[in-house]
Every structure is written in C-alpha cells, then in structure tokens.
Amino acid sequence: MHGVFDIVGPIMIGPSSSHTAGACRLGLMSRAILGSQPFTATIELVGSFAATYRGHGTDRAIIAGLLGMSPEDERLPHAFDIAQEMGLTYSFIPVRKSGVHPNTAIIRLTDKDGHTVRVEGASVGGGNIMITELDGFRLELSGTLPSIIIAHLDRPGVIANITHLIAEAGGNIASVRDIREKRGQTALVVIEMDDELPPVYVERIASSRHILTAFTVPKL
Amino acid sequence: MYDFSTIAELTAEAEKAGLPISSIVISREANESQKTYDEVVAQMRHSWHTMKDAIDKGINNPQKSVSGLTGGDAPKIYSMLNASAGKSYLGELACCACAGAVAVAEVSAGMGRIVACPTAGSCGIVPGALYAAHRYKIKNDEPIVRSLFTAAGFGMIIDEMACIAGAEGGCQAECGTAAAMAAAALTELAGGNPEAVAHAAALALKNLLGLACDPVAGLVEVPCIKRNGFIAVHALTASDMAISGIRSVIPPDEVVMAMKEIGDQLPLALKETAGGGLAATPTGRRLKEQIFGKQTE
Ligand code: SF4
C-alpha cells in the first residue's frame, strides 16, 4: 500500500503529476547521470508528451529538472529564462516512436567538457519515473533509492569485486542488475542501495580493474 | 502496530482502540516510514500550509492557465461571500469551500505549487472543503492537520483496492476518491465516530460513480477546475448526511469495488485520452486545435 504522503502529496508545481512533476524528475535524473551542469540539451518527446507538452508545461519542467530544480520549486515556470541565464541551450523535438510508454522523453546532454549522455525514460504516473535506457543500455532506474551505475568490461569476478567493496563500506544492497550488450564486451551494472555509498568507495570502484566508469545517482 | 487494507478493517481498528481514524493512520505511517509520530504530523502540517497558501494565491491573484483556456474563476465565486452574498444559495461556508477548491485547481493549472490530493487534477477538493471548515468552524489548525490523515487513510485504501488515476478508472477514481477523502476528514472534524466517517466517504464516492474523465485537449482544466469546486460542496453534503445518521445501504468497501468495476468497464475514450465526452464536442475539438495546432492528432 502507498504511504500517507503519496496520497496527500507530493507537493508539486501543477498542472499534472505525470506531465509536469514526472517530467521535471526525468530532467533531474538525466542531470544526475551526466554528473554536471548541462550545456546543451536535445529532448525528443514521444506519445502524449509530444501531443500535449506545451499545455502541461512539460518542456519547462524538463528544463527545470536539467537545471537542478525539484518538482516543487516555484521557479519551475520560469525555467526557460533561467536556462538562458545559466547558458543552457536546448531544443524540443516531438517524435513518433512505437513500443514505448506514452509519456517518454529521450534526453541528450553535453556539458562544458564535452561529456555526453543519452537518457531515455518515461513518466509512469503520480510523478514517478523510470529510466529505461542509458547510452544504449537497457535498464530500469526509478530513483526511489540511491544507485550506483557502473560500466565495466565483461570479465569474470568484476561484480564480486564491486559487491565486496560495497560490503567493506558497510553499504546494504537493495538490488543488483547487470546488463551486457554482448558477451565478453561492455556491461552495465545498476546497484540500488539503502543508503548512499561514500564517495571514496565510489572512487575505489571506479579505479578497479576492468571498470570503465562508476558514478552514483542520488535518490530523487 | 496498526494495519488495514479495507475500510472495514480501518474502522474496526479505530473502534477497538477507541481512537479516531486519524490516530490509526498516523501510527501506521510513523511505523512504516520509521519516523516519529510528531515528525509525521509535522510533515502534514507543512502540506496543510502549502494548501492554504495555494488558496490565498488563487483567490487573490487571478491568473491564466498555461494554455490560456481557464483562470480567474476563484475570485468570482469567492465574491459571492461578500458583494453578492445576498444572492448566494450556498451560504458562506459552502461558497467558501467551492472558492477554495477552484482556487487551488487554478493555481495548479497556472503552474503554481499545490499538494496532489490524491492527484493534481483533484488537488482542490480536500483543501477547499477543509479550508471552509477551518474558517467557519474549527479555528485551530491542529485538528485540520490530523483530519488530513483520515483523508489519506481512505485514499490509500481506495488506491489499493481500486485506483485513483483518471487514466485508469475515469474521474470517479480521481475526483471520486478526493470526495471520499474530504467527506471522511470533515466527518471526523464534526465529531462523527469511525462508522460515520466511513459512511461519509462511501456516500460521497457512491454519488460520483461513473464520472467520466474527458478533459478538453487532454489538459487538466475543463471540466476539472470547476469540478473541484462542485465536489468540495458535495463532500460537505456527504458529511452532513453521515453526521445526521444516514448510512450508505451498500457498505463502504463494496462501493469502492463498484467503482473499480465501473472503471474497468468505462471505454478508453472516457479515461483521460481526450477521445470522448466533452473533449470530443465540436467546441472541445476546436479548442484543442487552437492550443496545439492542427497537426497533432
Ligand atoms: S476529468 Fe480527468 S483530468 Fe480532469 S480532474 Fe477528472 S480525472 Fe482528472
């Protein structure tokens, strides 16, 4: 059963929990995955997002999230002006794509140093979201728990080593999902934690053998 | 430790403990979220203040919605309390509930801050009804804050047994649930026992069964905003009936199940797709074209 504050709540900027609050969260999550202030953003909108985004402020909500605002931030309606002040350029492209959730956004970001990410995710109702694809990897990331995302070479013992380091940090793992594209190549592991992992341990994971990148995504 | 998954269980827990339903819901929440009783109440106090802020804003600052389709009605109906008071059939309290509910819904449509209750589309109903009770009956904020837990308890059960999203069950699921929540809170505030509270919720929901979700252009504005005003008053009626001793012939949990069944039977066109009802009227279609242009189907 949902909790009291899922029903009387969340506190949010209207008008729509899925098209505004959820959209903002998709932006926030994409920013967290990029790990820095985005400099350019290209956002493709699918389905109901594509059809009604202007009337629901979906576009402003996504930009607000990309700028680090939460769904209850009263600056959300002014996100376009704030983006200009902060030097974020963006474009929205309604697209047709089948086989995805009707409230889907595909967000491509670059930061000042040229880092890029491509995040695909959906607003699944009540302001909740699900990230379904990251840089071509399929995954499921809801932001209800802090997570660690690790790209690694698909070699024996890599996951064991990661979980060992997490145990050493005293962290409690809620779930582990390993996704690989092709056997023996790159794989992505998403670990949901009960609490956030201290940065030193994230760095230790990142600098371990066969690890390409490791970063944390906070609970939304 | 209290727990419940049906209205019958929630009322039984309250009666057994000799406590109001709000106490049962607060205890359960504190236990589930591993917070203290006071922390949970403090969080709700913040939600109540957010609701009141939205009402003030909506009544005092008429503002257009993002689409330009709606806005500015809350101050109009609010004026019936003063300038046109002699002409109001509702009277001050009910008129105030209506104005408060429309105010919150308009603030939401204008991209202001609200508390989803249980959804953004129905966010004005509970605050509007409670604001009126607060202003005319219960000056102290604390009982109101507690009554919001009673409202939440019913929302949680309905969500679990049926659904609370217009896209899933039509507007009966969204605004119907909000009506049940508001009626329950009002009845506890008016001194009703747990049984009366449960029946107020049942009466309120029962009378909205079958309500379609057919918003023009798919936006949460028409008929949603004015509907919030109507249903805040509807909740007052349900509470008065329950306090007077009237009981729902169909028990509360069965009413919830009926809502679910009707929701399953409602055609997709009447479940937030903007494919039927008011959205499909000539004017509804024209407004949609006006807002989104021709190319979007
Ligand atoms: S008509 Fe639909 S969108 Fe409007 S309040 Fe009801 S359920 Fe929500």
Side-chain angles (χ1 to χ4, degrees), chain B residues 12 18 25 45 79 83 101 105 112 117 136 152 179 183 187 203 215 222 227 235-236 241 254 256 283:
Chain B
V25 179
R45 200 174 293 124
S79 76
C117 194
Y136 294 99
T187 305
L203 291 165
V222 179
R227 178 167 294 166
L236 300 172
M241 282 194 183
E254 290 183 37
V256 176
T283 304

Side-chain angles (χ1 to χ4, degrees), chain B residues 119 121-122 165-166 170-171 174-175 212-215 219-221 223-224 227-228 272:
Chain B
T119 60
S122 56
C171 198
E174 204 164 302
C175 286
C213 171
D214 53 357
L219 299 174
V220 194
E221 297 189 51
C224 322
R227 178 167 294 166
N228 272 263
E272 217 178 307

Side-chain angles (χ1 to χ4, degrees), chain A residues 1-20 50-58 60-61 72-74 76-77 96, chain B residues 4-5 25 28-29 40 43-44 46 50-51 66 108-109 111-118 120 148-149 152 155-156 159-160 164 181 217-219 291-292:
Chain A
M1 189 184 299
H2 275 120
V4 162
F5 298 102
D6 300 314
I7 299 296
V8 179
I11 295 176
M12 54 169 273
I13 303 301
S16 163
S17 51
S18 55
H19 287 65
T20 320
T52 68
Y53 72 98
R54 266 177 268 125
H56 281 121
T58 307
R60 295 188 230 184
E72 65 169 290
D73 195 316
E74 282 192 300
L76 190 150
R96 280 178 193 281
Chain B
F4 51 84
S5 50
V25 179
R28 183 189 182 278
E29 180 66 19
V40 172
Q43 193 177 342
M44 190 63 93
H46 176 62
T50 308
M51 290 174 178
V66 188
S108 181
M111 294 192 88
R113 189 193 276 156
I114 54 101
V115 185
C117 194
L148 279 166
F149 287 96
M156 287 154 69
D159 173 46
E160 189 67 20
I164 58 168
M181 291 167 66
L219 299 174
I291 298 165
F292 294 129

Side-chain angles (χ1 to χ4, degrees), chain B residues 39-60:
Chain B
E39 280 169 348
V40 172
V41 174
Q43 193 177 342
M44 190 63 93
R45 200 174 293 124
H46 176 62
S47 301
W48 170 236
H49 287 301
T50 308
M51 290 174 178
K52 283 202 294 188
D53 288 347
I55 291 176
D56 280 343
K57 192 172 162 196
I59 284 175
N60 296 312

Side-chain angles (χ1 to χ4, degrees), chain B residues 97-150:
Chain B
C98 179
V102 172
V104 178
E106 286 190 336
V107 165
S108 181
M111 294 192 88
R113 189 193 276 156
I114 54 101
V115 185
C117 194
T119 60
S122 56
C123 68
I125 294 166
V126 172
L130 291 183
Y131 178 72
H134 176 52
R135 182 148 151 190
Y136 294 99
K137 301 263 183 207
I138 297 144
K139 303 285 172 216
N140 192 339
D141 281 294
E142 284 316 290
I144 306 276
V145 171
R146 293 186 60 92
S147 78
L148 279 166
F149 287 96
T150 308

